[in-house]
Amino acid sequence: MMNDPLATIQQIHEYWMWHALDQAQRAFEQDEVPVGAIIVHQNRVIGEGYNQRETLNDPTAHAEMIAITQAAEQLQSWRLLECTLYVTLEPCPMCAGAIVQSRIPRLVYGTMDPKGGACNTLYQITEDSRLNHQVNVTAGIHRVECQTILKEFFAIQRAKGKK
C-alpha cells in the first residue's frame, strides 16, 4: 500500500501504475493485448483487470470494464466515488463511457491510444461538459513502460502472422 504521508501525487500515481502494469503483464502472458487496470479506493485496490477479449470471447472484456465491475461489487454500489482508475492505455469510447457512468472522479493512464483513445486523443468523453459527470484525467504515468509492453506484444503477434 502507498501510505507515505510525504509522497507526492506523482509518486502515488507511479506506485499504483506499476500495479496496473502487473495486470498488463498477465494479459501479455495469456496472449491478450497487454492492457491492465486497477481501481484504488482509500489507498487499497478494490478492482483489477486485464484484457480478456480473446479468452472470454467477449468484446466488452476490457481491463477497465473488468476492474469497474469488481470495484462496484466490492463497494456494493455502482457509484465509484472517491476512486481512482489506473490503466496502462488510454480508454476507448466504451470504457470512457463506463468511467463516466460509474462516477469515477479520477482517471490516470499510461500511454495514449492514437487509434481509439477517448479521453484525450480522439475524443474527450471523460471531460465532456455536456455529460452529467466529468473526470479528472492525468496522462503519461510510466508512459514508456506502457508503450513498450504494447509494442513488444504487437511485434510478436506480427511475427506470428496475427493482429
Side-chain angles (χ1 to χ4, degrees):
M1 277 203 233
M2 177 55 130
N3 43 8
D4 178 354
L6 300 177
T8 66
I9 297 294
Q10 178 78 14
Q11 289 169 322
I12 292 167
H13 289 338
E14 289 173 0
Y15 174 84
W16 290 116
M17 188 60 76
W18 281 122
H19 290 274
L21 276 160
D22 286 344
Q23 291 295 309
Q25 183 62 42
R26 291 182 68 188
F28 188 101
E29 291 165 3
Q30 294 183 22
D31 212 25
E32 295 275 0
V33 175
V35 177
I38 65 164
I39 296 179
V40 176
H41 178 260
Q42 297 178 350
N43 210 32
R44 73 182 177 94
V45 176
I46 62 166
E48 61 186 14
Y50 55 89
N51 277 2
Q52 296 184 57
R53 293 188 313 170
E54 302 294 336
T55 303
L56 300 176
N57 291 313
D58 180 353
T60 68
H62 289 200
E64 302 95 321
M65 301 297 280
I66 293 166
I68 287 169
T69 299
Q70 284 182 11
E73 195 172 297
Q74 188 73 222
L75 292 180
Q76 294 294 288
S77 176
W78 61 268
R79 291 178 187 90
L80 301 182
L81 306 174
E82 301 176 22
C83 291
T84 301
L85 169 62
Y86 291 88
V87 61
T88 57
L89 180 66
E90 179 183 2
C92 72
M94 173 184 67
C95 294
I99 292 164
V100 170
Q101 289 300 314
S102 63
R103 309 297 194 267
I104 293 173
R106 175 174 290 283
L107 165 67
V108 179
Y109 69 84
T111 190
M112 61 184 250
D113 183 353
K115 294 184 178 183
C119 300
N120 281 326
T121 307
L122 298 178
Y123 306 100
Q124 293 79 37
I125 292 171
T126 51
E127 296 176 323
D128 191 324
S129 63
R130 296 169 295 178
L131 299 174
N132 63 343
H133 176 71
Q134 289 79 47
V135 180
N136 185 316
V137 177
T138 301
I141 303 297
H142 289 308
R143 179 182 52 79
V144 172
E145 295 88 341
C146 294
Q147 287 174 341
T148 300
I149 193 170
L150 287 161
K151 286 178 182 177
E152 184 180 340
F153 174 80
F154 284 112
I156 291 168
Q157 295 303 306
R158 281 190 296 279
K160 292 179 183 177
K162 299 179 181 180
K163 298 180 172 109

